[in-house]
Every structure is written in C-alpha cells, then in structure tokens.
Amino acid sequence: MAIAEAFTPTPTPVVPGRSRWGRTGRSPHARLDLLSAGLLGLVTLVALAAPVLAPHGPLDPVGMPSAPPGTSGFLLGSDSVGRDILSRVLYGLRSSWLAALAVVAVGALLGGLVGLVAGAAGGWVDNLLMRITDGFLALPAPVLAIAVVAALGPSLLNTLVAVSIVWWPFYARIVRGEVRTLAARPHVEAARLAGAGPVRVALRHLLPGAVPAVVVTASLDIGALVLTLAGLSFLGLGQSAPAPELGADAARNLSYLLQDWWIPVMPGLAVALLSLVANVAGDGVRNLMAGR
Amino acid sequence: MLLLIAKRLAAVVVILLALTAVLFLLQHISPADPVKTMLGPGASQELVAQTRRELGLDDPISVQYVHYVGHLLHGDLGTSYRTRRPVGTDLATFLPATLELTLFALVLALVLAVALAVATTLNWPGAGAFRLVLLVGAAMPAFLLAIGGIILFYKQLGWLPATGRTDILDAPAGPTGLLTVDSILHARPDVFVDALRHLLLPGLAIAIGPAVSIGRVLRSSLVTTQRTDYTRTARAKGLTEVQVMRRHVLRNSVGPALSMTGLQVGLMFAGVLVVELIFAWPGLGQYTAQSIPVGDYPAIAGVMLLLGGAYVVINTVVDLLQAAADPRIEA
C-alpha cells in the first residue's frame, strides 16, 4: 500500500517552503511516517555496530570510578569500577534491541502459523487451536514469563524463550481473524474451484492478505517488548553479572542512586529512549500501511 | 445473564487448572532437583532416595499432578526451600503489603488515565502537551520512574520518603495488614498520613505506564463518542464543554477502557515486583526476588499462582461488569 501511494500523485496542496517535498508526490505526513519507520532500521544499525561505536570495551575498567557524565572521555560518566557507561549502554542496547526483534519474529512466525492453520482449516482444528490461544491470553504474560525463566534457570536465552512463549497468541488471533475474513472472499473461492489444494490456498491466497496486519502489530510491539525484557532483566532474569544489560545494570547499581545517580539512571534512560523510538517508528509503519 | 455468569465461571475453573498444569510441568522440566536443593549437596544417597519417596517424586507424573492439585485445593502450596516454611504462610505474610500497593496504584492509574484522556480530548491549548505526555509516558520503564522519583522527591526536595511502608515504629499490625485501613481502625491519623506518603512514590512509578495505556484507549473512544449525533445535540442545546464531557461522552466511552484496565493489571503485577525491590517494600516482589537466585521454585510458583489467579478473576469480573452495563454484550 505504501508503494502504491508513493506512485499516486496526491492532491495535497503544496505548502510554501515545503515545495521540495511536494514534488515527490508524497504528502508531508507520509514523508514523516517514512522517516519514523526508518528509525527501526537506524536503531538496528546502531545495535549491530555497537562494538564499533563503543569507545571502550563494556567490561574494561578504563578510568576513574564514578566519574560524572561529561568528564573528559566519559560522555555518560563511569561506573563504580571505572567502566565507561556509554560503552555498556551501547552494548546493552544491542542485546535489548536484538532480543526484542527476535521475540517479535518468533512470536509472529509461531503465532502466524497457528493462526493460518486455524483460519484456513476451520472447524474443530480452528476451535481447538483458538481455545489453546485463549488459554494463553487469559494468563498474565509477565507472570508466566517469570515462572518459565525461574524454572529453566535465569539466562538471556531462557528469557527469550519464555517471552516468546507468552507473546505468540496475539499474532495467532490477528492472523486467524484476517484469514477467516479472506477465506470468504471470491478470489479464494475461485482458487479452490480452479483446483488449488488447501496448502496452496493457505500460502498463496490467504497468507499474503494477513501480512500487513502482522507487520503493523509487530512494529508496534517492539517498544512494549523492550520494556518487558528490561523489567525481567531488572528482576535478575537475564544475563549474569558482568555482562552489560540495561535492566540489570540499573538494578545492580541501585545502591549508588543517591551519590552517583548517573550509574543506575543512564541504562534506564536508554531503555526509555529505545522504547520511545520503537513506538514512534511503529506508529509510522502503521500510518504507512493504512495509506494515510 | 445467569447463563453468562455460569459460562464465565466454568471458564475460570478451566483456566486456573491450565495454570496449575503449566506451573506443575515447569517444575517437572526444571533442571534444579528439589530434593538436592532442599537437603543440600552433602546429603547421602539413601536420604535423597527416602525424601524422594516421601515427597512422592517417584510416582507417575499424572499421579503427581493430581496430588499437586489436591494439595492446592487444601491450601497447601508446598514448602519453600529457602525459608523452610509453608509457601502459603509466606504468601500470607507478604501479601498485604503488595495488595495495598497494587490497589493504591490501580486507583492512581484510573484517576490519571481519565485525566490524561480528557485533557488530550478537550479542545484547549494544553491538549498537545498532554499528547506528548502520553507518548513519553508509554516508553518509561517502571524502574526508571521509581529511580527518578526518589532522586527528585526524596533526595532533591525531601518531600517524600523512599523506603518501606512507614517510619512510625508502633504502627498497628492488624487486623487487615493494609496499613491505611488498619490506621483508620485504630484511630491513628498520623500512621494513615505516613502510610500514604510512603505509598505515593512507588504507587506513581507503577501507575504511570498502565495509566497511559488505559488513557490512550479511553481517549480514542472519547474521540469516537464526540462525533456522535447525541453529543452534537447536547452541544447544540447549549451545554458547556465540561457538561457534555461529563454527562454524555465519558459515560458512553468507559467500556473499552475497562477492558484495557483488566489487561493492564497483568502488567501492573510485573511493575509491582520491580518497584518493590527499589523501595524495599516488604511484599511479594521482595519474596520473589529473593527466591529466584536460589531456585526456590515452590515459592515462585506460589506467587505466580496467586497473581495469575487474581488476574483471571479480575478479568472475569470486568467482563461480567461490562455485560451488566451493556445488555448488547452476549455470551
């Protein structure tokens, strides 16, 4: 839809001073949405490039302990053992962001598969799969995740497994809903009459119609996931001690709160920034998909 | 309506059974050996074998599950490896502090949600600023709000306390365990005020996230309701903007916000667990946080069963309330 819009001349009146935008045939709003959506790529690049961008190793004591932000060489200050907070935050941001993306991807694939099978098959298969999905949705996701990690033992991988287990049902519901609506449409009936088997109908004629809804939900989900993962990490359910992790770095340095506030605050601010950027980008993706 | 209630109650039973099954299976696949955790690494093989038999760990898994549910029905949640006390007793000790904080945060969240939604919907110059509050508030982790609150209101301004439930040593300890309620029952206004002051910062830290989510849903249904014909009629007959909002718009917009509130309670539980750690709040969050590193699974399962059960019950009540308020909602 976004591409179609890009090639359609929109009747937006050309705003003086913005004529450069008008000429591309896109409304300023769509431009803004595209820029917001692009933030997803930008943050992913920053996350991937963290080892290059970080001035120091995240585990190396490289200077004076507890240096306040802005001290020469330490943009965000240093922590109680003289590690560079900026470097730790960059590495923490990398693991938070990639973890959130991984959970969204697993959730969308797993939930999408369940939803596609349920929606395309209908009947008792649909009923059974949706009752299971409802069962998961009826339980509070963070509580389930904590129970899973506590049972498997705290580690980043187990946390990702746990959160993925509680995250897929949303996607199953969405995909199933889209697929059920599509299944009643004439083009699907035509495909069936033309002799397409159930698998071909599901993959070629039903699945593509559900993709936009999944993409929008997924991009709006990333911010919430960043927050959820940071909360679990804060509770000690992520990587163990010296590894840089945003939630855990804030939790472990709580005792410095009153003297050297920046040590616990900086990782927390990074979580907030990451989640904010993800939300803005998610809104952008949604608007683009809706063809605003 | 009666049929709806019966259906929903049956669903609650099924979901709670599913929750117990999940918690039971998790314990089963957990790599931590409960017997070794309980007896310590130096225990002899005979003692380990004997304890396994006594605990019924040699029985088939289905038998173990039936026993587990049977014990739960008798209020037996097992024994904590760490405190060596029944988990039920531990929960009873830590629950009141958490219950008080959660209820307080829930009330705060609802008040803030209505305020945010109305402030962003009304046609006035501040609406844009409040929309920014919604955007930023949605991205704030509870622990950052808690830390920021302590730095600002405790360290810089010295207005509010930062740890515990009260500074008053002879505060009444019963009968409900909720300090604000107990202080009223014992006619101690000083304790009541002190307890409220202690609740304010952790309560706000927990409430802001849910308030923003509920506020957003409320805002979008307010905007929809504002475009209806009856709202236009109310305006046309000369009611002020505030009257229109209060009498006509708000009342017809609370349904979706109520559903969202039910869902947000699950996230609030996570917020409570985190915030309790920061404010040294003597509740279930502390209990959970101390149980996680030592692998005290019965304790964790007990807390999760309690929170999960509360969530299921709350959401069922929300569903039923909506059906009662709006007869168009059917089973």
Side-chain angles (χ1 to χ4, degrees), chain A residues 140-155:
Chain A
V143 168
L144 267 191
I146 291 171
V148 173
V149 184
L152 298 179
S155 79

Side-chain angles (χ1 to χ4, degrees), chain B residues 45-327:
Chain B
Q45 284 206 333
E46 293 91 64
L47 187 60
V48 168
Q50 188 194 340
T51 316
R52 284 192 73 85
R53 244 192 333 275
E54 279 170 11
L55 291 174
L57 291 174
D58 293 335
D59 296 336
I61 184 164
S62 53
V63 175
Q64 286 189 44
Y65 176 64
V66 171
H67 282 199
Y68 172 73
V69 174
H71 286 307
L72 286 183
L73 288 176
H74 288 96
D76 178 6
L77 296 161
T79 307
S80 158
Y81 304 150
R82 185 174 58 89
T83 66
R84 314 255 158 188
R85 288 187 302 169
V87 171
T89 314
D90 279 349
L91 292 186
T93 313
F94 291 103
L95 177 64
T98 298
L99 185 65
E100 185 169 40
L101 181 56
T102 313
L103 288 178
F104 183 75
L106 185 61
V107 173
L108 271 184
L110 289 175
V111 171
L112 286 174
V114 174
L116 280 174
V118 172
T120 48
T121 317
L122 283 180
N123 209 356
W124 69 301
F130 276 96
R131 275 205 289 277
L132 195 67
V133 171
L134 282 185
L135 187 67
V136 174
M140 285 289 159
F143 69 81
L144 184 63
L145 290 169
I147 292 173
I150 290 178
I151 291 175
L152 183 61
F153 292 105
Y154 171 74
K155 191 191 169 205
Q156 297 293 333
L157 299 170
W159 290 355
L160 291 169
T163 50
R165 299 177 73 189
T166 178
D167 296 330
I168 297 169
L169 294 175
D170 65 335
T176 63
L178 309 179
L179 259 183
T180 46
V181 178
D182 288 342
S183 63
I184 294 174
L185 292 177
H186 286 83
R188 288 284 302 270
D190 56 326
V191 177
F192 182 77
V193 172
D194 192 54
L196 271 190
R197 280 163 47 85
H198 280 81
L199 278 168
L200 208 51
L201 277 185
L204 272 175
I206 299 165
I208 286 179
V212 167
S213 299
I214 300 166
R216 283 184 151 181
V217 173
L218 185 57
R219 176 185 139 75
S220 75
S221 48
L222 285 180
V223 171
T224 315
T225 316
Q226 268 191 329
R227 294 197 191 118
T228 55
D229 294 342
Y230 60 82
T231 307
R232 195 172 40 179
T233 310
R235 281 216 183 87
K237 74 181 181 187
L239 295 184
T240 66
E241 196 66 9
V242 175
Q243 278 174 320
V244 172
M245 180 61 82
R246 200 162 48 90
R247 302 262 307 268
H248 297 272
V249 179
L250 210 48
R251 200 170 278 197
N252 286 303
S253 307
V254 291
L258 206 58
S259 305
M260 192 62 185
T261 308
L263 296 177
Q264 285 294 316
V265 168
L267 289 179
M268 275 180 79
F269 287 152
V272 169
L273 297 182
V274 165
V275 166
E276 276 189 6
L277 286 187
I278 301 173
F279 288 91
W281 196 265
L284 294 174
Q286 295 279 354
Y287 184 62
T288 312
Q290 285 161 2
S291 305
I292 287 172
V294 293
D296 187 354
Y297 191 77
I300 297 164
V303 175
M304 297 311 142
L305 190 62
L306 188 69
L307 296 184
Y311 178 78
V312 172
V313 170
I314 289 169
N315 277 290
T316 307
V317 171
V318 167
D319 271 5
L320 290 176
L321 278 180
Q322 279 188 324
D326 186 347

Side-chain angles (χ1 to χ4, degrees), chain A residues 67-163:
Chain A
T71 313
S72 67
F74 298 105
L75 191 60
L76 301 183
S78 69
D79 70 5
S80 57
V81 289
R83 292 175 300 203
D84 177 34
I85 294 181
L86 175 64
S87 305
R88 286 188 72 80
V89 162
L90 277 171
Y91 273 89
L93 186 150
R94 169 189 171 93
S95 76
S96 279
W97 186 256
L98 298 181
L101 290 185
V103 171
V104 163
V106 172
L109 284 179
L110 201 64
L113 184 67
V114 172
L116 182 64
V117 171
W124 66 270
V125 177
D126 182 26
N127 244 323
L128 177 71
L129 286 177
M130 282 303 111
R131 288 297 83 76
I132 295 174
T133 307
D134 286 347
F136 272 94
L137 284 175
L139 296 170
V143 168
L144 267 191
I146 291 171
V148 173
V149 184
L152 298 179
S155 79
L156 183 60
L157 183 66
N158 288 347
T159 303
L160 292 186
V161 169
V163 179

